[in-house]
Amino acid sequence: MNKVFEDDTATIYHNNYIDIIKELKYDLVIIDPPYNIGHKYKDKSFNDNKSDEEYRALFKPLKNKKVITINYAEETIKYIVPVLEYPSKILTWCYNSNIPRQSRMIAHFNCVPNLKKVIIPYKDPKDKRIAKRIEAGHKGASCYDWFSDINLVKGHTKEKVKGFTNQMPVKLLERLIIMNTEPGDIILDCFFGSGSLYIACKNTGRRCIGIEISKEHLDLAINRIEKDINYLLN
């Protein structure tokens, strides 16, 4: 196991997760895997155009585990569901962007999110019943099974990691963490990417294990953690 970073929040490895996952202890897996849609990464450590059989093999070590996957609906159904089987709950993350596909499926396997743990603003605050609830001090409603209040990470935002594509918003990961875990739990990310899970765990009082096969992405994530963490927290 090639450990490259460790502190009170995270332990991070430069490995193919399949090679080391059996040696790790964790409470939940949250992954935003490469989507197998032919994206051309600068780092050639991962081929984003695998055969169906090769791509499905990525998820086999996660079968029967508590897993949350963030992916496009079609790819989730085609590749992930055949391996991890029927999801216990599906949430839909919608966002405004300049790309044709403006939503992703958040599939929960062997776990069910507690939507009541996350409060989001009322959709129609002018409704008489809602207005009364606001007047009584209520700040919003329990999260719905779809939401559109979290946008993609764009180049002009302070959260953006230069040189990294397909970066997960910290707020999205925080929401999933709060719905599915308790403080002190350990969350595994098999495709650690830009390191957003680190910040989300730091903000919510959880620990994480990050595994990344790409040295280029790993360097970006660790640089983000070591140099920019105080700026990015909260």
Side-chain angles (χ1 to χ4, degrees), residues 20-28 186-188 208-209:
I20 67 171
I21 189 170
K22 290 183 179 179
E23 303 177 52
L24 303 173
K25 293 183 179 180
Y26 49 89
D27 300 292
L28 177 71
I186 301 173
I187 301 160
L188 171 63
C208 66
I209 299 172

Side-chain angles (χ1 to χ4, degrees), residues 138-207:
H138 296 280
K139 295 182 179 180
S142 299
C143 187
Y144 306 99
D145 61 3
W146 74 271
F147 47 85
S148 58
D149 60 324
I150 300 174
N151 214 336
L152 292 175
V153 177
K154 298 181 179 179
H156 64 276
T157 61
K158 73 174 185 178
E159 189 175 337
K160 178 65 178 175
V161 176
K162 187 177 179 179
F164 192 86
T165 57
N166 194 38
Q167 183 180 334
M168 281 293 102
V170 170
K171 186 177 178 181
L172 174 67
L173 296 175
E174 289 176 348
R175 180 166 294 180
L176 298 177
I177 288 168
I178 291 169
M179 286 180 176
N180 290 278
T181 65
E182 299 297 331
D185 280 354
I186 301 173
I187 301 160
L188 171 63
D189 185 350
C190 308
F191 308 94
F192 194 59
S194 66
S196 294
L197 185 67
Y198 177 98
I199 300 168
C201 286
K202 189 87 170 178
N203 284 342
T204 56
R206 276 71 167 175
R207 280 189 48 79

Side-chain angles (χ1 to χ4, degrees), residues 76-145:
T76 300
I77 294 167
K78 181 178 181 180
Y79 298 119
I80 300 175
V81 170
V83 178
L84 302 188
E85 300 182 352
Y86 190 78
S88 358
K89 181 69 176 177
I90 291 173
L91 306 181
T92 303
W93 168 37
C94 304
Y95 44 81
N96 293 320
S97 72
N98 59 0
I99 57 178
R101 304 170 84 176
Q102 299 197 4
S103 69
R104 295 186 205 181
M105 178 182 285
I106 302 175
H108 291 63
F109 299 90
N110 303 305
C111 58
V112 178
N114 184 348
L115 302 182
K116 294 181 180 180
K117 285 186 172 184
V118 173
I119 302 300
I120 60 175
Y122 291 114
K123 291 183 178 180
D124 187 6
K126 293 183 180 180
D127 180 277
K128 290 183 179 180
R129 292 172 298 175
I130 299 302
K132 288 182 179 179
R133 292 184 63 82
I134 294 174
E135 187 177 344
H138 296 280
K139 295 182 179 180
S142 299
C143 187
Y144 306 99
D145 61 3

Side-chain angles (χ1 to χ4, degrees), residues 5-24:
F5 178 91
E6 188 168 37
D7 67 1
D8 292 340
T9 298
T11 304
I12 302 173
Y13 299 93
H14 179 209
N15 285 98
N16 183 330
Y17 97 89
I18 293 174
D19 295 334
I20 67 171
I21 189 170
K22 290 183 179 179
E23 303 177 52
L24 303 173

